[in-house]
Amino acid sequence: MSKFRLPRKEKKKLKKQFWLYARDEKGSSRMAFPAKRQEDYDAMKQGLVKSFFDWRTPEEKEKKKQEFKTLSNEVYVPDQELKNFVNKIFAKNYRISSYDILLEAKNHPVARNAYFNFINAYQKHLHDDSFGNICCLAVDRAKEILKSRKRF
């Protein structure tokens, strides 16, 4: 039996991605290594193994795009209400700095989008708990933008 070999460029291309078999009835899937194993490579050629990033359907991709669009809707809230939002999301030792960053971002032309992301993500957080992380990411993004502005 001969050893499984692939051309070098194809092997490099296959190693850079995560490959998975189709999901079973429980929703889990088995990982494949088409760059190393002949049976995984054959399954990939037959379409049984797909790249991790190819699993989303076009409808799911469009839904995610719309979701991100709704996070950028322009919404302004009074400063006291913003302070209440920050107090509910962040731990005590992060509240003051996060609030100050969001106030500064509210008046900055580029960082304003991060402010909108925070407000919209907080409003979605009330219904879906997973948006709490997006609130934190929005503040981090605003901080990054404001910090880059001060360098110049």
Side-chain angles (χ1 to χ4, degrees):
M1 187 164 130
S2 64
K3 188 175 179 182
F4 174 63
R5 291 190 182 271
L6 286 173
R8 183 177 59 88
K9 288 188 177 186
E10 187 174 358
K11 190 173 185 178
K12 278 180 139 181
K13 184 178 149 188
L14 292 174
K15 278 187 171 184
K16 289 181 182 180
Q17 299 179 21
F18 292 106
W19 297 91
L20 300 171
Y21 279 93
R23 297 180 181 128
D24 61 5
E25 62 277 349
K26 293 181 182 176
S28 59
S29 60
R30 194 177 62 155
M31 192 161 184
F33 299 95
K36 292 182 181 179
R37 296 176 42 198
Q38 176 74 47
E39 56 270 9
D40 290 342
Y41 183 76
D42 294 339
M44 182 194 73
K45 288 294 184 186
Q46 293 171 2
L48 300 175
V49 173
K50 291 185 181 178
S51 174
F52 176 74
F53 301 105
D54 292 342
W55 282 103
R56 282 201 257 162
T57 63
E59 295 83 25
E60 289 174 332
K61 288 179 184 177
E62 186 62 33
K63 183 180 173 188
K64 279 287 182 194
K65 191 183 280 187
Q66 292 300 322
E67 204 169 270
F68 281 113
K69 225 180 231 185
T70 60
L71 287 177
S72 296
N73 290 340
E74 289 191 22
V75 177
Y76 290 98
V77 295
D79 293 346
Q80 186 58 39
E81 192 174 347
L82 178 65
K83 190 170 191 169
N84 291 338
F85 292 174
V86 169
N87 288 344
K88 290 178 183 174
I89 289 287
F90 291 101
K92 199 171 194 173
N93 50 343
Y94 297 111
R95 289 178 183 164
I96 295 171
S97 62
S98 299
Y99 177 67
D100 291 340
I101 289 168
L102 287 170
L103 279 181
E104 195 173 345
K106 185 178 183 179
N107 300 319
H108 188 271
V110 179
R112 189 175 296 143
N113 193 33
Y115 170 80
F116 297 143
N117 288 346
F118 176 81
I119 300 298
N120 291 317
Y122 178 78
Q123 290 171 348
K124 286 189 174 211
H125 168 71
L126 298 174
H127 306 290
D128 183 4
D129 211 26
S130 64
F131 282 92
N133 290 338
I134 296 176
C135 293
C136 299
L137 290 172
V139 172
D140 287 343
R141 178 72 179 135
K143 183 178 179 181
E144 188 178 296
I145 292 169
L146 294 169
K147 193 182 283 186
S148 67
R149 179 192 73 160
K150 291 178 182 175
R151 281 190 218 152
F152 298 110

